[in-house]
Amino acid sequence: MFQGSMTIGDCLCNAGYTGMDGGPCTACPANMYKSSNGSGGCLVCPAHSHATPGSSDKSKCVCNTGYYAQNDVCESLPWIIADFGLSGVSVESLEAVSRA
């Protein structure tokens, strides 16, 4: 048997949405996320990253162009990748070339 909420105050916003318990829920704005149900606020994505509205987890925050994920933050790409739009080139291989 399904048991529903007894009062409107029992209703919670889903992850990716925020609002008071029992009240209307609104999607987290762009570049923010919320990974739990309830009335908690949305959190800002890490620096140099972005997310679509209604994002439900920090993993939805994607590094901006010119940055790559490193230890849970977005680090600046070496100038050669950012300036020339190279893809499929690892930072490690560029560092090895620059030392040669």
Side-chain angles (χ1 to χ4, degrees), residues 5-91:
S5 298
M6 299 302 289
T7 68
I8 195 165
D10 293 336
C11 296
L12 305 176
C13 294
N14 292 330
Y17 292 80
T18 188
M20 297 301 296
D21 293 345
C25 299
T26 56
C28 290
N31 307 322
M32 299 183 85
Y33 69 96
K34 180 175 156 254
S35 55
S36 61
N37 294 337
S39 61
C42 301
L43 302 172
V44 177
C45 286
H48 311 296
S49 68
H50 63 278
T52 58
S55 291
S56 59
D57 192 73
K58 186 177 181 181
S59 67
K60 305 290 185 187
C61 299
V62 178
C63 293
N64 297 334
T65 301
Y67 292 84
Y68 69 102
Q70 178 72 25
N71 298 324
D72 210 27
V73 296
C74 294
E75 298 285 343
S76 179
L77 284 171
W79 67 269
I80 194 165
I81 293 175
D83 286 354
F84 295 104
L86 298 177
S87 62
V89 178
S90 72
V91 172

